[in-house]
Amino acid sequence: MAGMGEQGARMTARSRPKFPLQLDRLSGRAAVSAKTVLRPQRDLAAAHADAGRRSAPAGLGLDSADVRRRMSERLRDGGISQPLVLEAFANVPRHLFVDPALATQAYEDTSLPIGHEQTISKPSVVARMLEMLFDGANARQKGNLGTVLEIGTGCGYQAALLSELAVSVISMERLKPLHDKARSLLAPMRSNRLRLVHGDGMIGHAPGAPYDSVIAAASSDSMPQAWLEQLAVGGRLVAPVEQGDRGQALVVVDRREDGYARHVYESVRFVPLKSGLAG
Ligand code: SAH
């Protein structure tokens, strides 16, 4: 909620005309011409370069664009076809969001601990969820994820990806130390599209509603009502939800003029959604 220790990460964007050009190179076809092309953000890798030199083990080549490009290609080989999602993975340096001791594993398809018993999600699952969001009615029409609510900022990696793909992102985290960590890790991005909120994501963030896209990085027993209420008509929500004996599965909800349509997809494993704030 507004006033709950909300932290603005709004900063001036310094843009370079790079995003659509890279898209061309990746997809081999014209950039999303008929759709809204998002204003390019600051070059993330360059923005993080200093921080990277300070925190990542030297000489491992993790700062190289090739490493990220290869991860993006593996995601494509694994079935992700949305070019903007693949491009975001090629842009955001994942190793800078994990502990330096784990940085060498950052481009493997694995979840990794980020402290406080939480994990940065597996790239293939994040990519799958982002691609699902792109299939929402509003996202298809806009050519981007529109206004986004993310529940579970964690270390901020997925928030960085989202800010490449959306007009605006509100990302909520209940654990103050992780919220603060994400704020400092995301600072070099200087994204004017991303706002981090220290708050209980179970109640969503009404001041920013309605959202075209809602994504949760923590699994709930039943989907919080607030998320459904704050979803725009034409909007899509993707979240892991407990399914009884089957365990967790990805659930997609589309809000239509006449109600909600809900579909259950593959099994996943996320940390639990918890209520309330924690210092
Ligand atoms: N997207 C993250 C993954 C974070 S793991 C990344 O890229 O690193 C899930 C996060 O959800 C944890 O940090 C956990 O603290 C947070 N979380 C759990 N319940 C929450 C709630 N009710 N509101 C906000 N965040 C919550």
Side-chain angles (χ1 to χ4, degrees), residues 97 114 116 118-121 126 150-159 172-175 178 197 199-203 217-218 227 270-277:
F97 290 85
I114 53 173
H116 311 277
Q118 307 303 321
T119 52
I120 182 173
S121 313
V126 175
E150 180 193 35
I151 318 297
T153 313
C155 63
Y157 175 66
Q158 182 172 276
M172 301 184 75
E173 174 57 56
R174 63 183 285 276
L175 298 178
L178 280 179
V197 174
D200 181 358
M202 273 182 146
I203 55 174
W227 300 356
F270 278 81
V271 295
L273 186 76
K274 294 187 175 169
S275 63
L277 297 185

Side-chain angles (χ1 to χ4, degrees), residues 177-198:
L178 280 179
H179 165 79
D180 290 341
K181 182 176 179 177
R183 190 152 45 94
S184 68
L185 288 171
L186 290 164
M189 255 179 73
R190 299 192 199 173
S191 174
N192 60 348
R193 297 186 193 137
L194 175 60
R195 197 144 58 97
L196 303 182
V197 174
H198 176 223

Side-chain angles (χ1 to χ4, degrees), residues 211-267:
Y211 300 100
D212 296 311
S213 308
V214 175
I215 183 167
S219 180
S220 51
D221 290 337
S222 64
M223 192 169 291
Q225 187 63 24
W227 300 356
L228 300 171
E229 287 165 4
Q230 292 172 22
L231 194 61
V233 172
R236 173 170 274 207
L237 183 163
V238 180
V241 181
E242 292 291 342
Q243 309 290 316
D245 291 348
R246 192 191 147 182
Q248 303 170 9
L250 286 182
V251 172
V252 170
V253 178
D254 288 299
R255 184 169 190 175
R256 301 178 181 156
E257 295 282 359
D258 59 351
Y260 296 88
R262 186 177 186 275
H263 293 97
V264 180
Y265 291 88
E266 67 265 28
S267 296

Side-chain angles (χ1 to χ4, degrees), residues 13-234:
R14 272 201 278 130
S15 304
R16 290 167 44 173
K18 156 182 174 285
F19 183 66
L21 299 176
Q22 288 203 345
L23 178 70
D24 279 350
R25 215 172 50 225
L26 188 75
S27 64
R29 60 189 164 90
V32 285
S33 51
K35 311 277 185 183
T36 311
V37 177
L38 293 173
R39 222 164 4 100
Q41 300 202 108
R42 202 165 168 248
D43 183 326
L44 291 184
H48 280 93
D50 285 345
R53 270 191 283 281
R54 278 198 307 276
S55 64
L60 296 171
L62 294 171
D63 280 329
S64 148
D66 289 345
V67 180
R68 300 190 298 276
R69 177 72 55 192
R70 277 200 294 277
M71 177 168 74
S72 175
E73 284 166 1
R74 282 195 302 275
L75 291 170
R76 187 194 57 201
D77 295 345
I80 303 298
S81 59
Q82 164 51 251
L84 295 171
V85 170
L86 293 170
E87 186 60 20
F89 276 91
N91 278 347
V92 179
R94 190 170 186 255
H95 67 285
L96 299 181
F97 290 85
V98 300
D99 190 282
L102 299 171
T104 52
Q105 296 173 59
Y107 296 97
E108 291 169 18
D109 191 27
T110 177
S111 57
L112 292 168
I114 53 173
H116 311 277
E117 298 173 9
Q118 307 303 321
T119 52
I120 182 173
S121 313
K122 202 171 162 175
S124 57
V125 176
V126 175
R128 167 83 170 134
M129 291 172 81
L130 296 177
E131 185 160 80
M132 284 171 148
L133 284 181
F134 262 99
D135 265 340
N138 289 358
R140 274 206 310 273
Q141 189 238 323
K142 293 176 185 196
N144 62 62
L145 297 184
T147 52
V148 176
L149 175 66
E150 180 193 35
I151 318 297
T153 313
C155 63
Y157 175 66
Q158 182 172 276
L161 293 168
L162 285 166
S163 72
E164 293 270 289
L165 301 168
V167 172
S168 65
V169 180
I170 290 176
S171 179
M172 301 184 75
E173 174 57 56
R174 63 183 285 276
L175 298 178
K176 185 73 164 58
L178 280 179
H179 165 79
D180 290 341
K181 182 176 179 177
R183 190 152 45 94
S184 68
L185 288 171
L186 290 164
M189 255 179 73
R190 299 192 199 173
S191 174
N192 60 348
R193 297 186 193 137
L194 175 60
R195 197 144 58 97
L196 303 182
V197 174
H198 176 223
D200 181 358
M202 273 182 146
I203 55 174
H205 190 69
Y211 300 100
D212 296 311
S213 308
V214 175
I215 183 167
S219 180
S220 51
D221 290 337
S222 64
M223 192 169 291
Q225 187 63 24
W227 300 356
L228 300 171
E229 287 165 4
Q230 292 172 22
L231 194 61
V233 172

